[in-house]
Amino acid sequence: MSVKPVIALVGRPNVGKSTLFNRLTASRDAIVADYAGLTRDRHYGNGRVGRREYIVIDTGGFEPDAGEGSIYREMAKQTRQAVAESDVVIFVVDARAGLSAQDHEIAQYLRRLGKPCVLVANKAEGMTQGLQLVEFFELGLGEVLPVSGAHGQGVRSMLEQALEAIPGLPPEDEEEPEVDTQVIRLAVAGRPNVGKSTLINAWLGEERLVAFDMPGTTRDAITVPFERQGQKYELVDTAGIRKKGKVFEAIEKFSVVKTLQAIENAHVVLLLLDATQGVTDQDAHIAGYILESGRAVVLAINKWDAVDAYQREQIERQVENRLSFLKFASLHLISAARRQGLGPVWKSIAQAHASAMRKMPTPQLTRLLQEAVAFQAPQRSGMFRPKMRYAHQGGMNPPVIVIHGNSLEHVPDVYKRFLEGRFRKAFDLVGTPLRIEFKTSANPYKDD
């Protein structure tokens, strides 16, 4: 499974980076408003053009010489981190406001880095090509691409040019290399300092860990071969593995991109939470990305020994409320430092992987579908009553069930959840998302 290329959107405040981000990710995930400096943190999203998938990082306005204590100083720091994590930078300027001193400073910074860069003049809708954009050539970054994030003009060309600028990126039609299906890739994900490295140390033992230690970069996940009870694993530590007596700065820093890529390339993700901190927004964002990626998942609350009964009750309630979309996942209460509660985690990892790779025969799926409809048929929607005829498996990791019939576009979400519950119970699917797709048959009499 190839690693997704990473694109960073960089520019001074209020040039329309968040609007472009939403266009590139086909979402409304980044806040958009006509107010300078609204996006203070790095914001991540998935996108696709053709068969090529990528990760986009939206950043706050970049002011390289922001003073001490200024919020813009922190935003500049976030932007530098985003640039470090990226494969290519899209430098966004404002076609209507024209060239500014800040644009010159940012261009100088990007030229010094030598990273692939595409210069984009946003808000160029309705402008005649050429003359108004000539001044941006002063930045010394080559061609200026006129785009409109608000209207979508020129965005695809911009994206294709950015991807072409990444050295060594394989063609999108290149076949994926074969992988060993007997090895389970397990990613340990979570916020900084929740105990990811401590947990992996507890599993491996310090001597074994040092033997596999290697420096990493923001693009690399640190992978450690491991075998337990005859099952081979590849453990992926998104925190970076420490070597005794030496710390590699690049892998010490928390990299969101590294976490996202590790999740994408895993079979199972162990999402580690911190009992002393509760369930934070960052935990919920990582959990949402795991679900979006379709990965099997196991939840573990670390440092359980460090909290009292009241705190335990609070975090259990937070998991139930804030991570309710992962209610199919097993939950474990552990102490990595004391090596308590770790055995049952492995059983859940194996169960989640088996569920994600479960084969579901068409006759059995169709029979279960018919039994579900006989028990409770979907409601009529106006003139239409959905009719479900048969079901088959459309994929694994995550399992996909494709249901065929008529007027299935009118099936409500509540009925979809009803079907999911019955399929999960019948096939003992624990720890994996389950996707149900509806395919409506064409009406042969439609054009008569």
Side-chain angles (χ1 to χ4, degrees):
M1 193 178 296
S2 60
V3 175
K4 291 182 182 179
V6 182
I7 302 167
L9 297 174
V10 170
R12 58 188 174 82
N14 211 30
V15 295
K17 295 185 299 298
S18 293
T19 305
L20 274 173
F21 174 89
N22 289 339
R23 182 71 63 175
L24 293 176
T25 58
S27 74
R28 302 294 298 174
D29 282 347
I31 301 169
V32 179
D34 188 19
Y35 179 80
L38 192 62
T39 308
R40 296 179 180 178
D41 300 314
R42 307 194 302 282
H43 196 93
Y44 298 79
N46 270 323
R48 176 196 294 267
V49 56
R51 293 175 56 196
R52 171 76 70 201
E53 294 183 332
Y54 52 84
I55 294 172
V56 187
I57 314 177
D58 180 27
T59 63
F62 189 21
E63 302 207 18
D65 294 327
E68 286 287 345
S70 166
I71 184 64
Y72 290 108
R73 179 177 176 81
E74 181 59 30
M75 291 160 64
K77 178 181 173 184
Q78 294 283 346
T79 300
R80 288 190 180 94
Q81 179 68 15
V83 171
E85 292 177 342
S86 70
D87 299 298
V88 63
V89 175
I90 294 180
F91 176 20
V92 186
V93 294
D94 190 328
R96 296 190 178 275
L99 193 59
S100 74
Q102 282 178 276
D103 292 331
H104 277 289
E105 292 174 0
I106 297 169
Q108 184 179 9
Y109 168 74
L110 294 175
R111 285 198 310 270
R112 190 166 64 247
L113 288 180
K115 182 161 285 194
C117 181
V118 175
L119 178 59
V120 169
N122 192 28
K123 307 181 187 179
E125 63 271 13
M127 297 177 63
T128 57
Q129 301 288 329
L131 290 178
Q132 290 104 323
L133 304 180
V134 168
E135 61 178 333
F136 293 109
F137 282 88
E138 293 180 26
L139 297 175
L141 293 172
E143 182 187 0
V144 186
L145 299 181
V147 305
S148 170
H151 296 82
Q153 297 168 3
V155 172
R156 186 183 178 98
S157 297
M158 173 196 74
L159 184 55
E160 290 174 346
Q161 186 160 327
L163 292 171
E164 287 173 5
I166 300 174
L169 189 68
E172 63 178 279
D173 56 353
E174 183 174 291
E175 291 187 6
E176 296 281 359
E178 292 188 11
V179 296
D180 186 351
T181 56
Q182 303 303 311
V183 178
I184 297 177
R185 289 192 301 273
L186 172 64
V188 181
R191 293 181 292 108
N193 304 317
V194 296
K196 297 186 292 295
S197 293
T198 305
L199 178 60
I200 289 183
N201 280 334
W203 281 342
L204 299 176
E206 195 67 27
E207 296 79 13
R208 178 71 178 271
L209 181 60
V210 172
F212 285 99
D213 189 25
M214 65 192 75
T217 70
T218 53
R219 287 290 323 278
D220 298 327
I222 309 303
T223 303
V224 185
F226 178 64
E227 186 169 329
R228 186 179 188 274
Q229 297 181 353
Q231 173 63 57
K232 293 181 179 179
Y233 295 88
E234 287 183 356
L235 301 181
V236 184
D237 179 13
T238 57
I241 298 173
R242 294 174 182 155
K243 186 175 181 179
K244 283 183 178 178
K246 185 174 181 181
V247 174
F248 294 95
E249 183 182 358
I251 61 175
E252 269 309 282
K253 291 179 179 175
F254 176 62
S255 167
V256 177
V257 163
K258 190 161 57 178
T259 299
L260 302 188
Q261 291 173 334
I263 290 169
E264 291 278 352
N265 288 309
H267 293 120
V268 182
V269 179
L270 177 67
L271 177 56
L272 202 59
L273 307 172
D274 187 334
T276 65
Q277 300 294 321
V279 181
T280 67
D281 288 343
Q282 202 169 9
D283 292 323
H285 289 153
I286 296 172
Y289 194 89
I290 294 170
L291 180 66
E292 180 188 331
S293 301
R295 297 287 79 90
V297 60
V298 175
L299 297 174
I301 304 177
N302 192 26
K303 308 179 188 178
W304 193 248
D305 57 315
V307 294
D308 58 28
Y310 175 75
Q311 290 172 298
R312 291 178 179 184
E313 183 181 337
Q314 289 296 107
I315 191 171
E316 285 182 321
R317 186 173 299 152
Q318 288 174 5
V319 169
E320 188 175 333
N321 293 333
R322 304 201 67 183
L323 303 182
S324 59
F325 53 88
L326 293 184
K327 61 184 178 183
F328 56 80
S330 300
L331 175 64
H332 296 272
L333 314 174
I334 69 170
S335 170
R338 293 173 178 254
R339 305 192 179 196
Q340 295 174 347
L342 303 187
V345 174
W346 285 108
K347 293 180 181 178
S348 292
I349 289 168
Q351 185 180 31
H353 180 259
S355 296
M357 307 302 288
R358 185 88 74 228
K359 292 183 179 179
M360 299 177 284
T362 297
Q364 188 177 355
L365 281 173
T366 300
R367 185 178 72 253
L368 288 167
L369 175 66
Q370 292 169 346
E371 290 173 356
V373 171
F375 180 81
Q376 180 181 325
Q379 289 184 333
R380 181 185 294 275
S381 175
M383 297 173 56
F384 304 97
R385 178 182 288 280
K387 292 186 178 179
M388 302 181 186
R389 304 194 183 282
Y390 69 96
H392 67 87
Q393 186 168 6
M396 292 188 293
N397 194 31
V400 178
I401 297 174
V402 183
I403 297 175
H404 295 258
N406 300 109
S407 300
L408 300 187
E409 65 272 19
H410 300 288
V411 176
D413 288 341
V414 65
Y415 193 81
K416 193 174 181 179
R417 290 193 293 272
F418 161 72
L419 291 176
E420 179 181 338
R422 293 182 74 99
F423 286 132
R424 279 189 178 279
K425 184 176 180 180
F427 289 100
D428 191 25
L429 301 179
V430 178
T432 179
L434 172 64
R435 294 180 178 169
I436 297 177
E437 298 177 359
F438 294 111
K439 298 277 187 179
T440 296
S441 303
N443 184 350
Y445 304 104
K446 185 178 180 181
D447 298 325
D448 287 0

